[in-house]
Amino acid sequence: MLVAYAVHAATLLLLVLDRCCALSSMNQIQPSFTGKMILAPLTKGGNKPFRRLCTDFGMETSVSEMIYARSLLKGSPVEAARLRRSVKEKTFGVQIATNQIEEGLNAIDLIQKSGADFVDLNCGCPIYDVTRRGLGSSLLRSPNKLHKLVKGLVNVKALREAGVSAITIHGRTAQQGYTKDANWEMIRQAVIESKEEGYGHIPIIGNGDILTFYEARKRMEETGVQSVMVGRGALIKPWIFQEFKDNVTLSPTAQERVQKESLDISALAFSVLIKILPISQRRPYTAICKQTIDTETCYLYIR
């Protein structure tokens, strides 16, 4: 397995782009970043049961919840659990938060042994607990150091050529958060500049406010991004991936939503499904829940 890098960044990505895109891509992983709707790394949401549900609804490429590389190396069982991959996930990447080359390399060794297809370096998380450690979006404050970090991580791993294989742009600044709409014009400009500077072979993935399949198609057409990444859109309706593939709006019944194909419903999977719904909308799932797991556990997660 080759370890590929997708730099997940906010609106300062153009600074990263100038530094990182001179590094060549790796063709083996790039098809998974082209023409796809990709599940974003969702902290406390993108767990294995939820990702498995998304695969039943057509998801092909996914990323784990963010993992602190340092905690993983210290043997944290929580971080180690985030390495687990659903058997149905076709292309699965693990997102790490690190700012040290040696630390990152050691984490990659563990990730590689776990069977992941690629590593995603988090350069966009605005959460204070992350940025206070010099991780996430704080990496964008020093593009020179970020360039050194990325190059060091991939060079030492003796890959075919040093470099990222894809770049994800979440069109927001860390300070802005969700107070404004994502800036897709900035993403479009990043795509144009990338091509003009000879780096059009590196896929750019657009992220931000994608809640429907037709918005995804429209953003791809308007900006030229090779793929889109969804987070909230998948939490609202996991079948958005199937809608994207089929170019059609789906309206699955409550039964179909939780018993898609061979999905084995667990309490955790059910908690993901229903906790994203208002309490008033949870009632249709109650009967299905009672038929699948014990009543006590059912109510524990439905209440």
Side-chain angles (χ1 to χ4, degrees):
M1 182 203 78
L2 292 177
V3 181
Y5 278 85
V7 179
H8 188 87
T11 53
L12 292 179
L13 181 110
L14 284 176
L15 299 176
V16 181
L17 189 63
D18 293 337
R19 302 290 181 176
C20 294
C21 279
L23 308 174
S24 299
S25 63
M26 290 177 294
N27 294 329
Q28 287 182 297
I29 199 69
Q30 283 189 352
S32 298
F33 300 143
T34 305
K36 306 293 184 182
M37 175 175 280
I38 302 168
L39 178 64
L42 297 168
T43 300
K44 298 183 179 180
N47 49 51
K48 182 182 174 183
F50 179 71
R51 297 198 313 272
R52 179 178 176 180
L53 176 65
C54 289
T55 62
D56 282 336
F57 282 112
M59 181 192 71
E60 296 182 10
T61 304
S62 58
V63 187
S64 73
E65 298 176 79
M66 184 192 73
I67 293 176
Y68 286 114
R70 189 163 303 172
S71 297
L72 178 65
L73 296 174
K74 288 182 178 180
S76 167
V78 174
E79 302 292 42
R82 290 176 176 143
L83 297 176
R84 297 180 63 188
R85 173 183 195 161
S86 169
V87 293
K88 291 187 176 183
E89 289 181 274
K90 295 181 180 180
T91 303
F92 173 61
V94 172
Q95 184 186 77
I96 61 171
T98 185
N99 56 13
Q100 301 292 326
I101 293 176
E102 183 176 0
E103 177 182 274
L105 290 173
N106 290 333
I108 289 171
D109 284 335
L110 294 179
I111 294 169
Q112 192 167 6
K113 291 174 183 177
S114 75
D117 298 306
F118 65 94
V119 173
D120 181 282
L121 178 61
N122 187 314
C123 303
C125 183
I127 299 174
Y128 176 70
D129 186 59
V130 176
T131 57
R132 70 180 179 85
R133 308 183 193 200
L135 307 172
S137 60
S138 65
L139 291 174
L140 298 176
R141 297 170 184 165
S142 179
N144 286 329
K145 290 182 180 180
L146 179 57
H147 172 242
K148 182 179 179 181
L149 172 64
V150 173
K151 188 173 182 180
L153 288 172
V154 296
N155 272 340
V156 180
K157 290 303 293 182
L159 301 180
R160 187 181 65 189
E161 294 182 50
V164 298
S165 60
I167 296 174
T168 299
I169 307 177
H170 189 172
R172 289 185 167 89
T173 63
Q175 292 76 16
Q176 169 190 339
Y178 289 96
T179 60
K180 298 180 180 179
D181 293 339
N183 187 347
W184 280 87
E185 175 57 26
M186 181 278 302
I187 297 176
R188 187 182 73 86
Q189 288 298 325
V191 173
I192 293 174
E193 290 187 24
S194 179
K195 292 179 179 179
E196 290 177 347
E197 295 174 10
Y199 306 124
H201 59 286
I202 297 179
I204 292 182
I205 303 163
N207 181 211
D209 301 334
I210 298 293
L211 302 178
T212 65
F213 81 90
Y214 47 85
E215 287 176 315
R217 293 293 183 188
K218 180 181 178 182
R219 294 302 189 187
M220 291 177 70
E221 181 179 350
E222 292 178 343
T223 65
V225 295
Q226 284 88 339
S227 291
V228 292
M229 181 174 280
V230 296
R232 290 172 297 159
L235 288 173
I236 294 171
K237 51 178 185 179
W239 53 92
I240 191 173
F241 299 98
Q242 195 64 54
E243 291 181 332
F244 179 79
K245 293 176 70 174
D246 297 342
N247 281 313
V248 63
T249 299
L250 301 176
S251 299
T253 65
Q255 187 86 13
E256 292 171 335
R257 295 180 189 189
V258 295
Q259 292 187 338
K260 174 71 174 177
E261 296 179 356
S262 61
L263 179 63
D264 179 22
I265 304 175
S266 66
L268 180 57
F270 225 99
S271 71
V272 173
L273 283 170
I274 62 181
K275 283 192 174 182
I276 62 175
L277 296 174
I279 294 177
S280 61
Q281 296 181 22
R282 297 178 186 177
R283 185 174 297 277
Y285 296 92
T286 306
I288 302 173
C289 182
K290 289 179 180 179
Q291 296 171 10
T292 312
I293 54 181
D294 64 274
T295 302
E296 182 178 356
T297 304
C298 174
Y299 282 111
L300 174 66
Y301 285 97
I302 285 185
R303 66 184 181 187

